[in-house]
Amino acid sequence: VAATLARDRRDPLHAECALKLLWVIGPALALSWAGLLLLTLTTGTPVPVEQWAVLALGLDPRFLWITALPLALLAGLVLLGGAPFHFLIADVLQGVRPWLAASAVVALQVSGATWLSQRLEGVIGFPEGRELVRSLLGFAAFAALGTGAVTLLVQRRPERRVGTLASLNGGLILVVLATGRTPTPGDLAAWAAHLALAVAGAATVARFLPTFAGQAPGAPLFRRHPWTGIAGLYALASLAGVPGTPGAMLWLASARSLAAANRTALLLVLALAWLATLTAAMRQWRQAFGVSAAGMTGEQAALVAAAQATGRVPLEARVALWISALGLVALGAARLWRG
């Protein structure tokens, strides 16, 4: 991902994002590999399921695996983009071209979810390890949801809001893992498919949204192609978990997992984070369409005329917005049918 971002030397924003990824993810991977090696040396096997079975015998020093396990999980936490690493996702979505930014973010977060799921496979058979994982990932989920909710309420740039929403969706994976169970391949595939479609649509429409608050003329996209703009906002709404979208099903499933596991405090934080995402989504909808023409001053009307004259919406962007929206509708219908 970093190499792809840095391929264009003339674009300093791409190079800056690539350097940030290397500075943060590089040390995290090094520490995680050290933790994996320590677990392998302690148990004599690199297979996670066999490692838990060996550790359950209680023959190895406890401080070794207690040190190695958090290190082994660190790379997954960083790649998911939860706090305090949530700035990575927002920086990529703000500084990189939309088509490349969405692909990079999805690749990083899916890699993080896969890393954690593979490392924790079979940990339920090792009670001490399961309790340690519940504590570690419960704290990580608490920090990711709480910090993400607060950050979302103070952000003004649409691209960074989309990045924070994506990091909160990564926090949903931490919520499931914090309950002591590992997502099934089907659940992980559904989460990854929703993330890819929602981030692609939301990141594209964010480039056409205004960056200011208050009453102002709407974006040219929503005046020239209102239905295409609504399709993009639907992807943004699904990423925020607005009721009636596939994203809401993911938030509801996470809440049910916490309720079944009696994680009340984390459930309350999840509810507050969901309210913050709804607030951000509704604010973005209001700013996207702006005020009506009847309520504009002469200066604002002049701005609208200038925007309509110069604000061209590329065909590729419109096609991408419709593909994302239709894909999300199909994904939601498939989940309802399967349920």
Side-chain angles (χ1 to χ4, degrees), residues 106 109-110 113-114 173 186-198 250 331:
V106 171
Q109 292 195 281
V110 172
T114 304
I173 292 293
D187 293 338
L188 199 58
W191 173 83
H194 171 264
L195 183 70
L197 291 169
L250 299 177
L331 182 62

Side-chain angles (χ1 to χ4, degrees), residues 219-264:
L221 170 65
F222 298 90
R223 295 185 176 276
R224 288 191 167 195
H225 311 282
W227 289 108
T228 302
I230 290 175
L233 289 178
Y234 178 77
L236 180 65
S238 186
L239 194 63
V242 174
T245 63
M249 302 179 189
L250 299 177
W251 284 81
L252 180 60
S254 300
R256 286 175 174 172
S257 299
L258 291 176
N262 294 322
R263 302 295 298 268
T264 307

Side-chain angles (χ1 to χ4, degrees), residues 11 13-14 17 90-97 207:
D11 195 330
L13 290 178
H14 279 216
C17 291
D91 286 347
V92 170
L93 286 173
Q94 181 182 357
V96 180
R97 296 181 184 91
R207 297 305 174 105

Side-chain angles (χ1 to χ4, degrees), residues 24 30-31 58 68 70-71 86 102 107 118 132 134 163 183 234 248 269 279 327 330:
V24 177
L31 290 173
L71 291 176
H86 58 294
Q118 290 180 348
L132 178 60
R134 280 168 54 93
Y234 178 77
V269 175
T279 302

